[in-house]
Amino acid sequence: MSKIRWGVLGVAKIATVKVIPAMQQSDLCEITGLASRTAEKSRAAAEELGIANSYGSYEDLLADPDIDAVYNPLPNHLHVPWSIKALEAGKHVLCEKPIGLTSTEGQQLVDAGKAHPQLKLMEAFMYRHHPQWVTAKKLVKEGGIGELRTIQSFFSYFLSDPDNYRNHADWGGGGLMDIGCYPISLSRFIFDAEPTSVSGAVEYDPNFNIDRLASATMDFGVGTSTFTCGTQLTPYQRVNIFGTTGRVEIEIPFNAPPDCPCKIWHETAAGIEEISFDICDQYRIQGDLFSEAILNNTPVPTPIEDAVANMRVIEAIVRAGKAGVWEQV
Ligand SMILES: NC(=O)c1ccc[n+]([C@@H]2O[C@H](COP(=O)([O-])OP(=O)(O)OC[C@H]3O[C@@H](n4cnc5c(N)ncnc54)[C@H](OP(=O)(O)O)[C@@H]3O)[C@@H](O)[C@H]2O)c1
């Protein structure tokens, strides 16, 4: 087998606009199937995207023996249930972030993964695979900013559509689940540790009852990380990583564009160096790395337990916001 045959659950925007077109460029991935709850919807989308097979239910896709791996971009409340069904159907699973509604639910997926040790399972935090993040991490690790002391991140957009699952509390909506998960993930990635305690100021939308503005501090013992995320704000994203002698700034940290070079800045006493990266698609790299792990039977780049650890931090920030005190993670 030289290419992994992928099936996609749901005609999700992220899948049709970004992930499928990126993975179709890969030498290791073939998108062979697309499923929807509506046969006509998956047929039309499959035709448009040049995908050979479409299915009128997610069950039908999972029953197809010619699919090796499943990409799950369903709304957050369906991540764990459908990822477990996919594992039970013998498919490798790449599941969108955040891993589920709670860390307890996420742990159920981890346990399901352990019950199927021959199958690969990973949360789709694509940003980590972009060379700009690989380089930022290397710079920090090799002392390029001295001692790592603090990280500052911002991620926002404006979304008032009541039909979008992000504005449904029961479906895992809210800014912390949708975008706050990125600053948490990258801070744990760069510190290579878990925060011990967090504080948070969290404001809820009075109609949707989802968090629409959250500012949090994570204490990593050796340093801190602060971030703000908002779902009713002007769109913006930026990350700054500060050390005792230098700084790394990532211009477009999360939605790195696939059609123009990305850049980061490395500032030291010697000045500011701009580091530019060749055009690449982080979703393609993610698909390549996951497919490689299947083909070579090697570990996936990020173990699934990482997803549960990330969710624990989200939960602690929610608790801290409600209690108005620091919370242990
Ligand atoms: N990694 C990234 O860069 C990134 C970016 C954006 C989003 N995401 C993640 O990807 C996931 C999907 O986001 P999205 O914005 O692409 O979602 P979306 O466009 O709303 O699509 C979600 C799909 O889920 C299916 N679905 C099944 N049950 C549903 C229900 N009860 N309500 C609504 N849809 C239902 C629908 O497909 P059918 O009708 O065809 O069955 C729908 O098209 C989320 O988990 C999000 O966090 C990741």
Side-chain angles (χ1 to χ4, degrees):
M1 197 191 335
S2 60
K3 275 193 179 190
I4 297 301
R5 299 164 300 178
W6 285 84
V8 178
L9 298 179
V11 183
K13 188 172 170 206
I14 180 65
T16 54
V17 176
K18 292 191 175 170
V19 178
I20 292 174
M23 287 173 70
Q24 284 175 323
Q25 302 301 313
S26 163
D27 297 328
L28 302 179
C29 308
E30 190 182 350
I31 309 284
T32 58
L34 177 60
S36 171
R37 294 164 299 169
T38 315
E40 185 42 46
K41 192 173 165 188
S42 57
R43 197 177 308 124
E47 203 175 296
E48 200 178 320
L49 288 159
I51 297 171
N53 303 310
S54 65
Y55 311 80
S57 75
Y58 306 151
E59 286 89 350
D60 286 353
L61 183 147
L62 296 186
D64 187 339
D66 292 333
I67 286 184
D68 308 307
V70 161
Y71 167 56
N72 179 351
L74 296 172
N76 301 340
H77 66 300
L78 300 175
H79 285 177
V80 168
W82 280 101
S83 292
I84 290 179
K85 282 183 202 189
L87 289 170
E88 287 170 353
K91 315 297 184 195
H92 305 277
V93 177
L94 176 65
C95 180
E96 267 306 340
K97 42 53 64 179
I99 202 58
L101 295 178
T102 62
S103 58
T104 306
E105 197 198 20
Q107 186 59 42
Q108 290 167 10
L109 181 56
V110 172
D111 294 341
K114 283 189 187 140
H116 299 89
Q118 77 285 9
L119 297 173
K120 307 295 174 192
L121 171 63
M122 189 173 81
E123 183 182 34
F125 262 127
M126 72 306 176
Y127 80 92
R128 282 193 182 183
H129 314 300
H130 194 287
Q132 66 178 359
W133 275 103
V134 176
T135 301
K137 180 152 170 110
K138 190 161 178 275
L139 278 171
V140 172
K141 200 168 175 194
E142 293 177 353
I145 61 169
E147 215 176 301
L148 171 63
R149 296 294 289 132
T150 194
I151 301 174
Q152 192 183 52
S153 315
F154 202 98
F155 200 178
S156 63
Y157 57 72
F158 197 99
L159 178 78
S160 55
D161 176 4
D163 294 329
N164 192 294
Y165 81 87
R166 291 170 180 80
N167 285 326
H168 284 254
D170 295 347
W171 295 2
L176 282 164
M177 292 286 268
D178 194 42
I179 47 177
C181 58
Y182 284 93
I184 295 169
S185 170
L186 75 88
S187 302
R188 297 174 46 255
F189 178 58
I190 294 294
F191 272 104
D192 218 350
E194 300 301 327
T196 50
S197 58
V198 299
S199 70
V202 186
E203 181 196 282
Y204 290 82
D205 181 281
N207 300 313
F208 303 141
N209 195 31
I210 51 93
D211 61 285
R212 64 180 179 185
L213 182 62
S215 297
T217 303
M218 294 172 268
D219 187 352
F220 284 86
V222 294
T224 59
S225 176
T226 57
F227 73 88
T228 292
C229 65
T231 63
Q232 293 174 22
L233 280 183
T234 189
Y236 185 69
Q237 53 186 269
R238 191 60 65 97
V239 171
N240 254 295
I241 305 170
F242 298 89
T244 48
T245 60
R247 178 181 72 86
V248 174
E249 180 171 354
I250 296 139
E251 186 187 31
I252 311 179
F254 311 118
N255 301 120
D259 52 2
C260 61
C262 287
K263 53 182 184 281
I264 68 176
W265 296 283
H266 179 207
E267 182 170 9
T268 60
I272 299 181
E273 181 195 6
E274 180 171 292
I275 306 171
S276 185
F277 299 88
D278 290 343
I279 290 174
C280 67
D281 191 318
Q282 57 190 351
Y283 298 103
R284 173 180 172 172
I285 299 173
Q286 172 179 256
D288 281 348
L289 292 173
F290 191 90
S291 299
E292 249 167 38
I294 299 172
L295 289 164
N296 302 331
N297 194 18
T298 50
V300 292
T302 311
I304 191 66
E305 287 80 1
D306 185 274
V308 177
N310 217 56
M311 186 61 72
R312 282 199 197 102
V313 183
I314 295 178
E315 290 168 339
I317 293 170
V318 170
R319 286 199 309 274
K322 290 200 167 132
V325 293
W326 283 79
E327 282 280 334
Q328 301 297 309
V329 175

